[in-house]
Amino acid sequence: MISEKRSAGILLHPTSLPSPDGIGDLGPEAYRWISFLAESGCNLWQVLPLGPTGYGDSPYQCFSAFAGNPYLISPTLLYEDGLLTRADLADRPEFPGHTVVYGDIIPWKLTILNRAFRCFNQSPPAELVTEFEEYCQLHAHWLEDFALFMAIKEVHGGASWGEWEMPLRMRQPKALTSFRLEKEDHIRRQKFYQFLFFRQWQALRQHAVQNGIRIIGDAPIFAAFDSSDAWANPELFHLDAQRMPAFVAGVPPDYFSPTGQLWGNPLYRWEVHAKSRFEWWVERMQAALEMVDLIRLDHFRGFAGYWEVPAGMPTAEVGRWVKGPAHAILQAFQQGLHGLPIIAEDLGEITPDVIELRDHYNLPGMKIFQFAFSSDADDPFLPHNYPVNCVAYTGTHDNDTALGWYQNAPENERDFCRRYLARSGENISWDMIRAVWSSVAIFAVAPLQDFLELGSEARMNVPARASGNWSWRFEAIALTPPLTERILEINTLYGRSAKPKPPKP
């Protein structure tokens, strides 16, 4: 079990935080967010993967399973570190406060980061030089390949490594040596971005620790093809002679999509991983636990069995189930991580072998309240059927908001929901939160959108939709004292509060 103490928290990716730079970052508003969680009696903050985003701006398609997202670096903190001047920030464009327009923010953030790098090269604060060198040495096992990968990618206009000329694609030593000599500054700059991200994130995490907030991270089971992981470790993936995917990942048709979800990630050669006792995976999980306290292991069912789709298929409808590494990889985690601080994302087509694997290691699964109303009282997603060892959600980043779900659900499900809650549906978001919070589930989590009672316009992601996701943001005025008090009240009522609420006079 992940905890013996009933706890509660909020799901919010850092990109959704307020910021003057068009995307949430790790600056002042992130610290204010931690304070808000603490004041409202929450002790959990759940985030999505924190890696550098690639295709479709998705945090589940990252250029590395180890690196951080440089777009989350706070210019305000860079200014405080002496790496930027007021003049560097004077040409900041006007950005909307309620959404991330990636096409606009990416050029701006890269401009700012380049200015910080130029300052660091020309007149670096002495203490930062030492920190940077120590960081590069400590993380060299993944940072060297990642920085080289990103530098080559930059020189190729962002093209996927599958489109690079063959010597670089195949990592021929002579080609790599020549590139390193010619583009040393490009490589150093990529390392510098990672240094800035990890420096800011670790400071924020320490602030969370001081406020009694544990962070739940997210580890996608599959790595992206266009990643330093696949490029630098081709033997770990099902790639053909040209280093292109032979099979790709996805899931068959389910309640998210009638044609399944074609993720396109290359599949692992599990027999190769097993020979090294899953060294790459264990290092990946160890790196994640340097950044977060608990890991939501996305698509956990893939460790028991995964859906293999031949490369080139237009949808995920054609494929087959293949057995995963199951107990072998969980045992490697248990040994390498000195325990299993893992939440099993056990949604989708769950078979007995998935349940057996989850329960054998006493891992908490996930219960989604929105899924509860298409059957009857025996539905496992209804709170009266929850086990203690689970994480209960109103919905996740892949769901509509609670209000959006209710407004768009079939009337028979809406009716079942109203009767189950014994409510009219007028305050459906908070009614659903209350039902989840009152359950026996050890952890209760809801997206911030549900606490703010927002509709479908605030949805974070629509599975199987290639673009238009991951852009929702809230504005600073949303975190009001009445909202803080309301969340503290529900945390206190259901024994989930980390903060004792003073009695009313």
Side-chain angles (χ1 to χ4, degrees):
M1 184 178 287
I2 47 177
S3 170
E4 294 181 2
K5 183 179 183 300
R6 285 169 64 80
S7 302
I10 300 179
L11 169 60
L12 181 85
H13 197 48
T15 58
S16 296
L17 289 164
S19 162
D21 295 287
I23 186 172
D25 60 35
L26 307 180
E29 289 294 340
Y31 286 80
R32 180 173 175 244
W33 169 249
I34 295 290
S35 298
F36 169 78
L37 288 171
E39 288 298 313
S40 62
C42 291
N43 39 29
L44 299 172
W45 175 22
Q46 183 167 340
V47 300
L48 305 182
L50 294 166
T53 51
Y55 177 72
D57 307 304
S58 171
Y60 294 90
Q61 294 286 347
C62 291
F63 293 135
S64 168
F66 292 82
N69 187 350
Y71 306 142
L72 295 177
I73 295 169
S74 165
T76 300
L77 297 186
L78 296 182
Y79 171 76
E80 292 177 1
D81 285 333
L83 292 171
L84 294 175
T85 66
R86 290 187 182 277
D88 288 326
L89 299 171
D91 57 344
R92 173 191 284 135
E94 288 289 331
F95 294 107
H98 62 280
T99 190
V100 181
V101 183
Y102 286 95
D104 293 338
I105 70 99
I106 290 174
W108 167 244
K109 292 304 285 270
L110 291 178
T111 296
I112 285 294
L113 293 173
N114 282 331
R115 290 170 180 171
F117 180 64
R118 186 166 60 245
C119 174
F120 183 74
N121 278 341
Q122 293 173 353
S123 55
E127 66 278 8
L128 284 187
V129 174
T130 301
E131 278 189 55
F132 175 63
E133 291 173 351
E134 291 176 350
Y135 170 82
C136 291
Q137 291 175 5
L138 184 63
H139 296 273
H141 65 284
W142 65 266
L143 184 61
E144 290 293 335
D145 280 325
F146 173 75
L148 178 60
F149 171 85
M150 292 301 294
I152 299 173
K153 192 174 182 62
E154 181 183 4
V155 168
H156 286 76
S160 167
W161 69 273
E163 300 174 24
W164 299 350
E165 57 270 31
M166 198 59 71
L168 289 174
R169 187 199 301 187
M170 304 299 287
R171 292 178 58 86
Q172 294 179 5
K174 184 177 179 180
L176 296 184
T177 299
S178 175
F179 186 91
R180 287 190 183 100
L181 291 173
E182 292 177 14
K183 303 296 182 181
E184 180 182 359
D185 195 57
H186 286 62
I187 297 169
R188 179 178 166 84
R189 178 157 43 82
Q190 293 296 332
K191 292 179 181 179
F192 181 67
Y193 292 173
Q194 289 304 304
F195 165 68
L196 295 178
F197 171 87
F198 279 90
R199 188 171 187 270
Q200 291 190 3
W201 176 262
Q202 292 298 354
L204 180 63
R205 188 186 178 196
Q206 185 59 37
H207 184 67
V209 170
Q210 292 167 355
N211 282 270
I213 305 298
R214 286 194 288 173
I215 301 175
I216 302 175
D218 196 323
I221 185 172
F222 297 115
F225 169 70
D226 191 19
S227 68
S228 61
D229 309 294
W231 175 67
N233 307 282
E235 72 282 359
L236 299 179
F237 300 87
H238 273 292
L239 304 178
D240 62 21
Q242 303 301 310
R243 301 276 171 94
M244 300 301 289
F247 302 97
V248 296
V251 291
D254 61 12
Y255 41 61
F256 282 124
S257 172
T259 59
Q261 298 176 52
L262 185 63
W263 298 330
N265 308 68
L267 296 174
Y268 297 110
R269 293 188 185 274
W270 285 120
E271 70 282 2
V272 177
H273 286 267
K275 288 178 182 177
S276 70
R277 297 184 180 180
F278 302 94
E279 180 182 15
W280 180 87
W281 259 102
V282 171
E283 288 183 351
R284 177 189 178 189
M285 297 292 278
Q286 289 171 337
L289 288 170
E290 292 177 4
M291 299 177 63
V292 301
D293 301 284
L294 299 162
I295 300 172
R296 171 191 178 270
L297 202 46
D298 190 50
H299 199 58
F300 175 81
R301 73 104 51 245
F303 288 125
Y306 54 93
W307 189 245
E308 178 185 271
V309 181
M313 288 291 108
T315 71
E317 293 170 280
V318 175
R320 64 169 187 149
W321 287 107
V322 180
K323 287 185 68 67
H327 290 277
I329 194 168
L330 268 295
Q331 289 166 4
F333 288 165
Q334 201 164 39
Q335 183 175 359
L337 307 179
H338 307 292
L340 289 172
I342 290 170
I343 297 167
E345 188 273 285
D346 54 350
L347 307 174
E349 186 173 334
I350 301 304
T351 47
D353 57 338
V354 182
I355 297 171
E356 186 276 331
L357 186 66
R358 180 198 67 198
D359 292 350
H360 182 85
Y361 296 93
N362 201 27
L363 301 179
M366 293 173 56
K367 300 298 181 185
I368 312 301
F369 192 41
Q370 287 185 27
F371 292 166
F373 302 104
S374 59
S375 58
D376 56 27
D378 293 329
D379 194 293
F381 293 108
L382 286 169
H384 68 265
N385 293 320
Y386 292 173
V388 172
N389 191 29
C390 76
V391 185
Y393 297 81
T394 53
T396 73
H397 62 281
D398 281 332
N399 297 107
D400 205 339
T401 65
L403 177 59
W405 169 83
Y406 182 75
Q407 291 174 334
N408 295 298
E411 179 54 31
N412 63 307
E413 294 188 26
R414 288 155 48 96
D415 177 65
F416 187 1
C417 182
R418 288 191 297 267
R419 289 188 293 121
Y420 187 84
L421 297 171
R423 294 291 185 270
S424 68
E426 293 180 14
N427 300 296
I428 193 65
S429 298
W430 276 89
D431 291 339
M432 293 176 74
I433 291 169
R434 182 178 294 271
V436 168
W437 256 239
S438 66
S439 75
V440 297
I442 196 72
F443 283 179
V445 177
L448 180 63
Q449 292 95 314
D450 290 351
F451 290 101
L452 298 178
E453 301 181 86
L454 300 177
S456 298
E457 75 283 354
R459 183 169 184 169
M460 193 63 166
N461 179 50
V462 179
R465 187 175 72 181
S467 60
N469 298 313
W470 321 110
S471 62
W472 179 77
R473 297 176 69 204
F474 74 94
E475 300 190 61
I477 58 173
L479 302 185
T480 63
L483 178 63
T484 304
E485 186 69 18
R486 193 174 184 184
I487 298 174
L488 177 58
E489 171 75 358
I490 200 169
N491 279 329
T492 303
L493 283 175
Y494 295 115
R496 299 187 183 276
S497 179
K499 174 185 173 68
K501 185 178 181 183
K504 291 184 178 180

